[in-house]
Amino acid sequence: MDRDKIFSWLKAERLSLADFLDDLGAHEWETDSLCPGSTVHDVAAHLTMSTRSTLLGTIGGVIRARGDFNTMVADQARERAARFTPAELVAQFRQTAGSPRRALGAGPLDPLVDALVHGQDVARPLGRVREMPKGPVMAALAHVHDSSFYGARKRFHGTRLVATDLDWSAGEGPDEVRGPAGDLLLLATGRVTGLAALSGSGAQRIAARLGGR
């Protein structure tokens, strides 16, 4: 896929998300997000980090987290949230919305996945609707489905996914999961909340694999 197209989507999504965060009330920033153990404030702090991470910082974080990448990410986000106010984080996010820099090991589409999914991680617990643009979400879904990083290959083994709002499908098997592409993306990245809008013979089996997360 054209990297310029991906980057234009990413910049637009980041700026839109910055506007969304800027509109939140103080109590909403302390609401639990869909990321276990992380508030909206923590997720916002995480979103500012992909354009600011360094090799040494990443290595040190992994060592402190005893090799657990997810723990490192969560710990660093909480540390950053403790250092900066919501207004400061929104300003930082806007400041680097146009930066091509990305976290160590991340591909061109990973920051877009991050922005799209974390936008839902903060919006849905607040009861707010945040639409996901069709082009970016289809590209992100195809990337997550084929990537080994997100665990979707194992999660969707033997399952065909069908988007009902886009011309997109992937996978093979006796089971099928159908629904909006955005909810398929949430499920593909391990969010059980995505199941609410999905149907098909594979939905319950995948819910069991996710363990209710």
Side-chain angles (χ1 to χ4, degrees):
M1 177 171 288
D2 186 340
R3 292 197 178 200
D4 289 340
K5 170 71 76 174
I6 295 170
F7 184 66
S8 69
W9 283 341
L10 173 60
K11 183 178 179 179
E13 187 63 23
R14 282 173 169 168
L15 290 173
S16 172
L17 185 49
D19 290 342
F20 175 88
L21 292 169
D22 204 19
D23 188 51
L24 300 183
H27 67 287
E28 292 179 299
W29 278 84
E30 301 312 314
T31 300
D32 289 336
S33 72
L34 294 183
C35 300
S38 297
T39 64
V40 170
H41 195 162
D42 297 331
V43 173
H46 166 70
L47 285 166
T48 68
M49 293 175 62
S50 65
T51 56
R52 293 173 171 82
S53 63
T54 64
L55 176 60
L56 289 178
T58 300
I59 292 173
V62 170
I63 292 172
R64 287 192 296 275
R66 298 185 178 184
D68 189 316
F69 179 81
N70 290 329
T71 296
M72 177 204 71
V73 170
D75 287 347
Q76 289 186 340
R78 283 190 286 269
E79 290 168 5
R80 190 168 181 82
R83 289 173 53 202
F84 297 105
T85 66
E88 289 172 329
L89 290 171
V90 170
Q92 292 171 12
F93 197 38
R94 282 201 180 104
Q95 181 184 30
T96 55
S99 173
R101 184 175 175 181
R102 53 184 186 263
L104 181 67
L109 278 165
D110 290 311
L112 180 63
V113 173
D114 215 35
L116 288 168
V117 173
H118 286 317
Q120 300 303 311
D121 285 337
V122 298
R124 295 199 177 201
L126 297 175
R128 292 180 176 241
V129 175
R130 179 165 173 75
E131 300 293 340
M132 287 188 274
K134 293 185 182 300
V137 77
M138 184 162 65
L141 178 55
H143 173 64
V144 170
H145 183 271
D146 294 339
S147 170
S148 60
F149 176 77
Y150 298 93
R153 290 180 185 175
K154 181 177 180 181
R155 192 172 297 127
F156 293 135
H157 179 70
T159 305
R160 178 171 172 76
L161 305 182
V162 180
T164 55
D165 57 342
L166 294 172
D167 183 16
W168 183 90
S169 62
E172 297 180 355
D175 289 330
E176 184 175 273
V177 176
R178 302 176 61 88
D183 292 277
L184 290 174
L185 178 61
L186 290 181
L187 189 62
T189 53
R191 279 110 173 124
V192 73
T193 187
L195 282 163
L198 303 178
S199 62
S201 57
Q204 288 187 343
R205 180 173 56 80
I206 292 172
R209 285 182 182 178
L210 290 172
R213 289 183 289 121

